[in-house]
Each structure stands twice: as C-alpha cells, then as structure tokens.
Amino acid sequence: MKLLLVGVGRLKSGPERELVARYAERCAAGGRKIGLTAFDLREIEESRARRPEDRKAEEAAALRALLPPGGKLICLDERGKTMDSEAFAARIGDWRDASAPACAVVIGGPDGLDPEFRARADLVLAFGAMTWPHQLVRALAAEQLFRAMTILSGHPYHRV
C-alpha cells in the first residue's frame, strides 16, 4: 500500500520542511519491509477564490485529482476523532492487509476542508482539540505515519 501525505499550500524552506522531509525519508526506507510500498509528499496551491466556500471547493477538486482510485482517505480536521498511535497504526495495517492500494492523509488549507470532501473520508482525525498551524500539522502527520510503521514492524521507536 502506498502512503501519501497531501497538504494544501506550500511549505517554505525552514525547520518544518526539514522535519517533514526527515520523516518522509524514514517512512520511505522503513515501509517496504512491511508492505507499505511508497511514501509521497504532495502539495497543491491554495485557491485564490474570493469566498471561503469557493476556495474549499476548488481545493477539494484538486485534492480529489491526486487521490489514487480505491485508496483510503484520512482527513485531518479539528472536529475529527482522536485516537492513540497504536489504534492509528492498526487502522493503517488493516487497510494494508485488505489490499487497499493507497492511503492518503490530507491536510486542508487555511479555510479547512470542503464538507463534502471530508464526508467522503474513511477516517476524519484530529490531533486533539487545539488548532495547530498547518506547517506543524504536516510534521505531526509525517511523524505519526512513521510511528505507525514502527508499530506495525515491531520496531522499538514507539514505547508505551
């Protein structure tokens, strides 16, 4: 199963980009051994539409175009479900074992995700009740995907 981390907007050079890249490299290297065949980072441009609803709709169309057919969709949203790292890893492992071709973790833009797009998600996930900057959310998501890989492989990175 291929993993994708998709964000609306471009990360600028700096520590957040470097941290995301570090976890992406770790994911790409460690995933193959456990049936996670690739790890891709993708970014789409923020919409320039005037109204927030129009921006979200345009961004949703661009996001849909990036998603592999038949893949699983995780939307990160403050109204989502919270889960611990082990449950998150188990969900990814279940999808991998069911032969899902891909799993995309999507981070919306400043206005959030289009409600119809979010409603199509297989999982809507929150990193707690607080609002986080999108740059940090990318780093958190990349780290949690790496952590899920280590949990699935039995690596000692995740300690309880």
Side-chain angles (χ1 to χ4, degrees), residues 111-125:
D111 297 308
L113 291 166
D114 179 74
E116 289 179 25
F117 181 84
R118 189 177 57 240
R120 294 182 46 201
D122 297 285
L123 174 63
V124 180
L125 187 63

Side-chain angles (χ1 to χ4, degrees), residues 77-80 82 126-132:
D77 186 276
E78 63 189 3
R79 293 161 291 219
T82 59
F127 287 148
M130 293 181 173
T131 301
W132 295 93

Side-chain angles (χ1 to χ4, degrees), residues 51-118:
R51 297 179 337 122
E53 297 81 19
D54 295 337
R55 286 192 295 271
K56 290 189 280 189
E58 285 180 12
E59 291 165 356
L63 290 167
R64 274 192 292 278
L66 292 178
L67 303 178
K72 299 296 181 177
L73 173 61
I74 299 172
C75 289
L76 297 182
D77 186 276
E78 63 189 3
R79 293 161 291 219
K81 173 182 181 173
T82 59
M83 32 177 28
D84 64 25
S85 297
E86 291 170 333
F88 181 63
R91 180 75 58 98
I92 290 173
D94 289 345
W95 290 337
R96 174 203 60 195
D97 296 346
S99 300
C103 174
V105 177
V106 175
I107 303 161
D111 297 308
L113 291 166
D114 179 74
E116 289 179 25
F117 181 84
R118 189 177 57 240

